[in-house]
């Protein structure tokens, strides 16, 4: 099948054989695609190689046959965000999530739109934690495994003053008041869930409460193998100077 004038975002690039690259993209009309870019290591194909960088928005032509497509042409549609430090790690996390969870050749227009919004938020340096929590929410929704955040799994309205764990199959489950401190610390506040549902940034403490519950949901869908970006973030945290 010929693919012409398709747009997409480059997720990952790695060498393939001696002179080629294997490029993973999230495309608008075909979902996640693996593209074989032949001969791009030669000096004459420097412009094409420059377009095939992670986070780059491209337009491309390819021929799809089986699992992979043969890339015929590609051009950059803009300049990829220039990121460093925590923002660069956040972009790596974003791409790794899509690579691991988005099925091949399954169009997901909601995910494509969410990725575009998040890429722009990284470009303009919006607060990272809120940017990532919104993308995690939108990713789960686009994959069809999200859940309501304004009510719990039993249909009861979320109590702003309560805490909730996120059950991947059931949705928010309210914690009992006598739960241990560790379990409560790993649960989201009701205020945070309502803010995420309304796409309104909560205060710092409530926002922080969303990280571990959403990670637990993602880990459930990822299976036994976690993310390299989680390992990198943990290693950097251990290396950070103590005040």
């Amino acid at each position: 099948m010929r693919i012409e004038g398709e747009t997409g975002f480059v997720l990952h690039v790695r060498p393939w054989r001696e002179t080629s690259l294997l490029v993973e993209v999230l495309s608008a009309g075909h979902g996640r695609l693996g593209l074989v870019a032949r001969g791009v290591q030669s000096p004459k194909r420097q412009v094409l190689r420059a377009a095939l960088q992670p986070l780059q928005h491209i337009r491309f032509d390819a021929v799809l046959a089986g699992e992979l497509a043969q890339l015929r042409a590609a051009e950059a549609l803009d300049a990829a965000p220039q990121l460093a430090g925590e923002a660069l790690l956040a972009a790596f996390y974003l791409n790794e999530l899509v690579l691991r969870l988005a099925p091949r050749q399954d169009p997901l227009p909601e995910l494509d739109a969410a990725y575009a919004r998040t890429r722009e938020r990284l470009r303009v340096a919006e607060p990272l934690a809120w940017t990532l929590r919104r993308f995690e929410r939108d990713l789960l929704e686009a994959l069809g495994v999200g859940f309501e955040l304004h009510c719990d799994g039993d249909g009861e309205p979320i109590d702003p003053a309560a805490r909730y764990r996120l059950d991947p199959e059931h949705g928010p489950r309210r914690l009992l008041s006598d739960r241990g401190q560790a379990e409560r610390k790993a649960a989201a506040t009701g205020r945070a869930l309502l803010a995420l549902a309304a796409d309104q940034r909560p205060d710092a403490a409530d926002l922080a409460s969303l990280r571990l519950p959403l990670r637990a949901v993602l880990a459930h869908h990822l299976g036994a193998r976690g993310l390299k970006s989680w390992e990198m973030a943990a290693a950097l945290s251990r290396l950070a100077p103590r005040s």
Side-chain angles (χ1 to χ4, degrees):
M1 178 177 64
R2 297 190 64 85
I3 299 173
E4 296 183 347
E6 177 71 1
T7 60
F9 297 98
V10 178
L11 302 172
H12 183 68
V13 182
R14 64 179 175 86
W16 192 78
R17 297 184 178 174
E18 292 185 0
T19 63
S20 303
L21 298 173
L22 181 59
V23 185
E24 293 281 352
V25 300
L26 176 65
S27 71
H30 297 271
R32 185 168 67 87
L33 285 175
L35 304 175
V36 177
R38 296 186 181 277
V40 294
Q41 305 287 22
S42 67
K44 292 182 179 180
R45 308 203 71 184
Q46 183 177 358
V47 173
L48 175 59
R49 188 167 67 252
L52 302 177
Q53 301 298 320
L55 291 184
Q56 184 63 62
H57 193 203
I58 63 173
R59 180 183 292 112
F60 64 94
D61 300 336
V63 177
L64 180 61
E67 183 74 8
L68 299 175
Q70 301 295 323
L71 183 68
R72 294 294 185 240
E75 61 174 331
L77 294 179
D78 62 7
Q82 299 299 304
L83 307 176
E86 290 185 346
L88 184 60
L89 180 57
F92 176 53
Y93 171 60
L94 191 78
N95 288 349
E96 192 179 15
L97 273 177
V98 177
L99 282 168
R100 289 285 305 278
L101 292 178
R104 278 199 189 276
Q105 300 176 30
D106 184 4
L108 295 171
E110 296 87 356
L111 179 56
D112 186 75
Y115 187 97
R117 290 193 301 268
T118 306
R119 177 179 179 267
E120 185 59 26
R121 288 165 183 158
L122 291 174
R123 182 197 297 278
V124 300
E126 290 192 12
L128 278 180
W130 182 228
T131 293
L132 294 179
R133 300 300 84 79
R134 296 164 93 184
F135 180 74
E136 291 163 350
R137 173 201 63 196
D138 294 343
L139 171 66
L140 293 169
E141 286 291 335
L143 294 173
V145 294
F147 33 71
E148 295 290 344
L149 295 169
H150 65 273
C151 60
D152 67 19
D154 296 320
E156 295 296 324
I158 292 292
D159 181 352
R163 281 188 173 264
Y164 295 82
R165 69 180 181 88
L166 298 182
D167 185 316
E169 305 295 338
H170 183 79
R173 287 187 182 273
R174 182 170 181 160
L175 289 189
L176 300 177
S177 58
D178 60 353
R179 292 291 185 179
Q181 184 65 26
E183 189 171 358
R184 290 183 62 80
K185 186 177 180 181
T189 66
R191 287 184 300 273
L193 293 179
L194 291 171
L196 188 59
D199 202 38
Q200 296 177 350
R201 183 183 172 192
D203 65 29
D206 288 326
L207 176 57
S209 78
L210 289 169
R211 185 177 70 88
L212 291 179
L214 281 168
R215 174 179 287 202
V217 175
L218 292 167
H220 170 82
H221 294 294
L222 287 164
R225 183 164 60 94
L227 297 178
K228 292 181 180 178
S229 47
W230 287 344
E231 297 173 5
M232 292 171 62
L236 290 173
S237 179
R238 289 193 295 270
L239 292 173
R242 305 290 182 179
S243 58

